[in-house]
Amino acid sequence: MNRSLIGSLYTISTYYETLQWQWWISCILHVIQAGYYPVLALVGVPSNLLTIVILSRNNWGLSKSVTCYLLAMAVADLLVIVFDLILRHIPIVYKEHFRFLYYVPTCNIHAILLYASTDCSVWFTVTFTFDRFVAISSQTLKSKYCTRKTAAVVLGTVSLLSFSKNITQYFMLTGRYILVNAPWFCGVSFAVQYSLVWMTVDILNYVLTPCAPFVLILLLNVMTVRQILMTSKVRKRLRAHKNVENAEDSELDNRRKSIILLLLISVNFILLWAVLITFSMWRRVCFLLNLIVTHEYFIQDLGFMLQLLSCCTNTYIYAVTQTKFREALRKLLSHLFFPFIKHIKSSE
């Protein structure tokens, strides 16, 4: 009996120590988020707006289909920043200044727009990856599929499906904001929380976004890299037979730039989404199976921070990998700030 009692006391003590350090980490993350989220919004909104303007001009050397996908990704990322970062996470961190939201019964509508824009952001990345895979794998299919018209149809279809899929949020959630990082940021009735039907719908939502895209992007990138390596070997052999080894191969150079852009966008998505995907799926499985585990919710907070960061990084990826994008960005910034600089010099 004594050993059993001592063991039970030790287990309880360990459990409360675990909760205590988890609470401390959550407090530290909350302090970091108070500065991180506003800065991210101040960086993310202008970055995506600049990207949208540059891509809309379509003068930086990429094909029309690629430009369509990148433009759509920038618009979707901007919407995620607005609906998720600015209208959800910042009010949660600064809830004492946003208590008026408790009296605004629009949370379920907000949830539809937030999750639909997130789905679009994720699935636009998948469609862009597939477009590049087709372009590199088959020249015949490339001429038919990798066009501006096809890109518009694909992007429009994904947008419609994303919105339709998230209509269920209107019926699952209530219009009441709760301003906490719970599984839902809106009020949820017990009937929904413990309903097998609604839990299944919620699990399927997470499988469709972002788990399935996560796997698809990995597979498409592996196949794309494999195809590029095979094609490069064949072209090098043909060039060797023609004695043009030292001459520049513009097609291989363009493919190299394309694959660098694709891989950076894909790796950026995978790395910044990995924490949130893993934690969210594990938590929902535990909830569905009634497993009693300690949920390290600071991992969820870290996952949200990284996921939102992924919506602000593509502009910098383009600037690093694309010379013409850098030139267009420099010209645009010069045009925007030239009157201000001129005014300062004249005032001196």
Side-chain angles (χ1 to χ4, degrees):
M1 277 297 288
N2 290 336
R3 290 183 179 178
S4 176
L5 180 60
I6 291 172
S8 299
L9 291 174
Y10 177 77
T11 302
I12 294 172
S13 175
T14 304
Y15 175 77
Y16 280 106
E17 286 179 4
T18 302
L19 290 180
Q20 187 176 23
W21 70 260
Q22 289 176 13
W23 181 81
W24 277 109
I25 294 176
S26 296
C27 289
I28 293 170
L29 274 180
H30 184 80
V31 172
I32 294 172
Q33 287 169 350
Y36 174 79
Y37 284 146
V39 169
L40 198 61
L42 290 173
V43 171
V45 171
S47 296
N48 282 289
L49 285 175
L50 287 172
T51 301
I52 291 169
V53 172
I54 294 172
L55 291 173
S56 298
R57 294 180 176 182
N58 194 22
N59 60 352
W60 58 300
L62 292 179
S63 67
K64 292 182 178 180
S65 66
V66 171
T67 302
C68 278
Y69 286 113
L70 298 183
L71 179 59
M73 289 163 61
V75 172
D77 286 344
L78 179 61
L79 291 176
V80 172
I81 291 172
V82 171
F83 290 123
D84 200 355
L85 175 58
I86 297 176
L87 297 180
R88 176 189 178 184
H89 285 284
I90 289 179
I92 288 174
V93 173
Y94 292 97
K95 64 178 66 178
E96 64 275 8
H97 301 294
F98 289 89
R99 295 189 183 279
F100 66 89
L101 288 177
Y102 292 126
Y103 307 101
V104 181
T106 58
C107 191
N108 47 359
I109 298 174
H110 179 188
I112 293 173
L113 298 173
L114 188 158
Y115 293 126
S117 58
T118 302
D119 286 355
C120 287
S121 176
V122 172
W123 280 99
F124 287 169
T125 305
V126 177
T127 56
F128 168 66
T129 308
F130 182 73
D131 178 87
R132 291 301 83 202
F133 170 70
V134 171
I136 290 169
S137 300
S138 172
Q139 292 299 314
T140 304
L141 190 57
K142 175 184 176 181
S143 61
K144 298 179 180 179
Y145 182 82
C146 302
T147 63
R148 187 172 186 173
K149 182 178 180 180
T150 302
V153 171
V154 170
L155 293 170
T157 303
V158 169
S159 301
L160 181 61
L161 290 175
S162 297
F163 185 81
S164 301
K165 163 182 169 288
N166 288 288
I167 289 294
T168 55
Q169 302 294 338
Y170 184 86
F171 303 100
M172 288 177 60
L173 309 175
T174 67
R176 180 174 58 87
Y177 287 92
I178 56 176
L179 297 183
V180 295
N181 277 333
W184 301 278
F185 67 100
C186 303
V188 187
S189 66
F190 284 105
V192 169
Q193 289 190 49
Y194 294 98
S195 166
L196 182 60
V197 174
W198 290 118
M199 280 194 287
T200 303
V201 170
D202 197 47
I203 289 286
L204 287 175
N205 282 336
Y206 265 82
V207 169
L208 291 173
T209 304
C211 294
F214 195 90
V215 175
L216 287 173
I217 289 173
L218 278 175
L219 290 176
L220 287 170
N221 275 284
V222 169
M223 291 189 293
T224 302
V225 171
R226 179 175 175 272
Q227 185 64 35
I228 285 178
L229 293 175
M230 291 173 59
T231 305
S232 298
K233 288 180 181 179
V234 172
R235 288 185 64 84
K236 285 180 180 179
R237 288 173 186 171
L238 290 173
R239 289 167 63 82
H241 285 301
K242 294 179 181 180
N243 296 320
V244 289
E245 291 184 7
N246 296 326
E248 290 187 4
D249 189 337
S250 58
E251 185 173 341
L252 278 180
D253 187 54
N254 290 334
R255 288 191 176 192
R256 180 181 62 81
K257 291 180 180 179
S258 180
I259 195 61
I260 289 173
L261 177 61
L262 171 64
L263 288 177
L264 284 176
I265 291 174
S266 301
V267 170
N268 175 69
F269 170 80
I270 290 168
L271 291 179
L272 296 181
W273 273 86
V275 175
L276 187 61
I277 290 173
T278 304
F279 178 83
S280 298
M281 288 304 297
W282 170 244
R283 182 181 62 190
R284 277 158 174 73
V285 169
C286 291
F287 189 76
L288 185 63
L289 300 178
N290 291 321
L291 297 177
I292 301 175
V293 294
T294 58
H295 289 306
E296 293 81 1
Y297 284 103
F298 66 88
I299 298 178
Q300 174 186 255
D301 290 339
L302 180 61
F304 281 133
M305 292 168 71
L306 294 174
Q307 177 246 319
L308 290 168
L309 178 62
S310 70
C311 297
C312 306
T313 52
N314 282 349
T315 302
Y316 304 98
I317 291 175
Y318 306 152
V320 169
T321 60
Q322 305 294 318
T323 304
K324 291 185 177 180
F325 184 88
R326 287 198 300 273
E327 294 175 358
L329 181 60
R330 180 180 57 79
K331 290 179 181 178
L332 180 59
L333 290 175
S334 299
H335 179 72
L336 290 173
F337 290 106
F338 179 74
F340 179 70
I341 295 172
K342 186 178 180 180
H343 175 71
I344 292 177
K345 288 184 178 180
S346 62
S347 62
E348 291 177 351

